[in-house]
Amino acid sequence: MNDSSWGAPPQAGYWGPSDQGPVQGAAPAGPAYDAHHAQQTRPMPIVPDVPAHGGDQDDDRGAARTGGPLFRDETPPTPPYQAPSQNPQNPQEPMTSAAQPAPAPQKKSAGRDLGAAIGVGVGLGVVIVASLFVVKAAFIGVITVAVVVGLWELTSRLAERKDIKAPLVPLALGGAAMVIAGYVRGPEGAWVAMALTALAVLVWRMTEPPEGYLKDVTAGVFAAFYIPFLATFVAMMLTADDGAWRVLTFLVLAVVSDTGAYAVGWRFGTHKLAPRISPGKTREGLLGAVAFAMVAGALCMEFLIDGGAWWQGLLLGLAVAASATLGDLGESMIKRDLGIKDMGTLLPGHGGIMDRLDSLLPTAPVVWLLLVIFVGSG
């Protein structure tokens, strides 16, 4: 494209073609003439680029600052930008990714202190088994302590993160009464203790200003049902003649389900189960939990429970895997709403008490009910 195509008339001193033909020594029409002739050309109506010398105006010669392909500036043309070569002997050779060393593959981490987790787990197991088979009343004490500590963790986190002040005193007293009533009086005693605990929460909160009353008592009633009431079903399992073995079956299935989910999910997990709730859980881990729990359930029902059958253990293991997973997801939902990773730091490698009770609490009524259906309540 030349000047005539833009409608630019020739100026004085223009060395363009004449009627007799091209003038000898004249530069060809178009953009490829030198800087001297560029000064004699009227600037075209184009938008100039940012000045090359950092100023806000053109120089004294009045030449157009062109950034397009129509004119050559008075300065020598700048070659196109090229990335600096890594090889100084061959500057035209493009940069390749081979020059950067490949990062070393990172070893897959388990995500927690396994040594501390195993040590704490073994210690808790020894305490539970010893109290379970030595004196049943001692095991009721273990349940009560776990319930009270769990209530303390939950109410503390609610107060810290959401400014929800669920009254701990009536919850702790009512929770302990619920566990004992369930062991002594069965389901009727547990329900009565639950109702009285909820009433105590309503009355206790009345001693403070009314602001936030509804959310505080709602959280209190939820905490009473979620922790002590569900834990009462463990105490009710203990009342049967083979109660210690029923409780042991419940604990073994819950632990085996959690272990199967963790081991299989960590090794083979690729498909997320509920990424918005718990990104670490996978569908492969759920299958591992089901498989491990069903095998453990068949063995426990066949060899530990009076009158049990292996096929009942398969159904029991399947139900435990489902309820334990839902309980774990429910606890994860609460922690995500609160913006925390763990409910506490009491158990190294595990978090808090509630981080261990999350799968046990909703599993307790499931195991109690199925055992009553399969072999009776005696």
Side-chain angles (χ1 to χ4, degrees), residues 113-127:
D113 189 346
L114 285 180
I118 293 174
V120 171
V122 170
L124 290 176
V126 170
V127 172

Side-chain angles (χ1 to χ4, degrees), residues 270-282:
T270 56
H271 301 86
K272 300 298 183 181
L273 178 63
R276 290 188 299 176
I277 302 175
S278 183
K281 292 178 176 55
T282 62

Side-chain angles (χ1 to χ4, degrees), residues 239-318:
T239 60
D241 295 335
D242 58 347
W245 295 107
R246 295 192 184 199
V247 173
L248 182 63
T249 297
F250 154 71
L251 295 174
V252 167
L253 292 185
V255 172
V256 167
S257 173
D258 184 62
T259 303
Y262 177 76
V264 175
W266 176 69
R267 182 63 180 84
F268 302 104
T270 56
H271 301 86
K272 300 298 183 181
L273 178 63
R276 290 188 299 176
I277 302 175
S278 183
K281 292 178 176 55
T282 62
R283 299 175 187 176
E284 293 81 2
L286 176 60
L287 295 178
V290 171
F292 278 53
M294 290 181 71
V295 172
L299 295 174
C300 289
M301 288 297 293
E302 184 71 25
F303 298 105
L304 298 183
I305 305 301
D306 295 337
W310 64 268
W311 63 268
Q312 296 171 341
L314 294 178
L315 297 178
L316 182 63
L318 177 63

Side-chain angles (χ1 to χ4, degrees), residues 78-84 95:
T78 304
Y81 173 77
Q82 294 182 356
M95 184 186 303

